[in-house]
Amino acid sequence: MVLEKKKATENVIKVASSVNDHLSNFPHFRHYRRNGLSAAHLNMEAPYGPEWPAEEKIKRREMVAEEARYIFVHEVSNKDVDGVSELKEKERTCSCEGPIVGFVHYRFILEEEVPVVYVYELQLEPHVQGKGLGKFLMQLIELIACEKLIHCLQFSQNRMGAVVLTVQRANLVAMDFYIHKLRYTISAISPSRFDPLLGPEKTYEILCKTFDHEARAVLEVLRKTFYNEAQQSWRFVKHVRDKFNSNVIMRLSKDFLCMVLGVLSDLCGSFIL
């Protein structure tokens, strides 16, 4: 039963990744004309800070990976606006392509054995920000995630379980955009929630929006056993620090303390951190 479920889940990812045009079922999302708009080294360096040189190399490799999928946003000239509107009414695609002013990089992957759409990047040129285009693109990603590929598979429960993405904590604008405007939540697999000891040292959060109970149980709900054990261990660390010479204790790194606690937990037969 477990193997069958795993095979079916992997097949969902395979089928979703094989679709050439994810916009074909959402023709009205091919055109965006709101707030004066007729619509990858963008906005990324500042939030990463000193980590950016190393992260840039990773981003470049990610962007050319075979499993990467893209939605590009082209800005059309004023003379093409009427033509675009006419094509939109006929649910046809505009052939006129202006400069690229934004893109979404996404993939279909398994996250904790849950099929998800993982948004690797959402980047917009500064002059098209604040006009609703980012929200428009994320709504499209969510539609793609929820789309049922019935004509490709023999069963109906084949949509993605969630949309997942990573945001740098220093990018306060992006954090506010996803959490407060789009109602994403900090995932249970995000470092700040999964590891109370070392999580605060990480520079990013993993956010998610789930679409079914199974995905919600894995990606949103904290694993209480782990969380409670971690909290108890952290209280033990503070107790040791208070009991003994603080000058000695503070020389011990958190990693070393975690190792010591792991050994103690193993000897006591409890949960290993």
Side-chain angles (χ1 to χ4, degrees), residues 114-148:
V114 175
V116 305
V117 175
Y118 207 112
V119 178
Y120 277 68
E121 298 293 339
L122 169 58
Q123 297 293 334
L124 300 175
E125 288 279 7
H127 76 279
V128 299
Q129 295 177 11
K131 300 178 183 293
L133 182 56
K135 182 178 180 180
F136 177 85
L137 290 171
M138 286 304 299
Q139 288 174 335
L140 175 56
I141 291 294
E142 291 168 16
L143 284 174
I144 292 172
C146 291
E147 181 184 12
K148 293 182 182 297

Side-chain angles (χ1 to χ4, degrees), residues 86-155:
E86 183 179 346
L87 288 170
K88 181 178 180 180
E89 293 176 359
K90 298 179 181 179
E91 298 189 354
R92 294 175 58 189
T93 305
C94 177
S95 60
C96 52
E97 292 187 355
I100 294 178
V101 295
F103 70 89
V104 183
H105 166 198
Y106 64 100
R107 302 186 193 182
F108 299 96
I109 68 170
L110 288 178
E111 189 68 61
E112 299 291 325
E113 301 304 317
V114 175
V116 305
V117 175
Y118 207 112
V119 178
Y120 277 68
E121 298 293 339
L122 169 58
Q123 297 293 334
L124 300 175
E125 288 279 7
H127 76 279
V128 299
Q129 295 177 11
K131 300 178 183 293
L133 182 56
K135 182 178 180 180
F136 177 85
L137 290 171
M138 286 304 299
Q139 288 174 335
L140 175 56
I141 291 294
E142 291 168 16
L143 284 174
I144 292 172
C146 291
E147 181 184 12
K148 293 182 182 297
L149 309 173
I150 296 177
H151 31 276
C152 298
L153 298 175
Q154 297 301 314
F155 52 92

Side-chain angles (χ1 to χ4, degrees), residues 164-179:
V164 182
L165 52 94
T166 301
V167 181
Q168 290 294 307
R169 286 182 185 168
N171 194 341
L172 300 180
V173 174
M175 290 290 288
D176 179 73
F177 171 70
Y178 288 112
I179 293 177

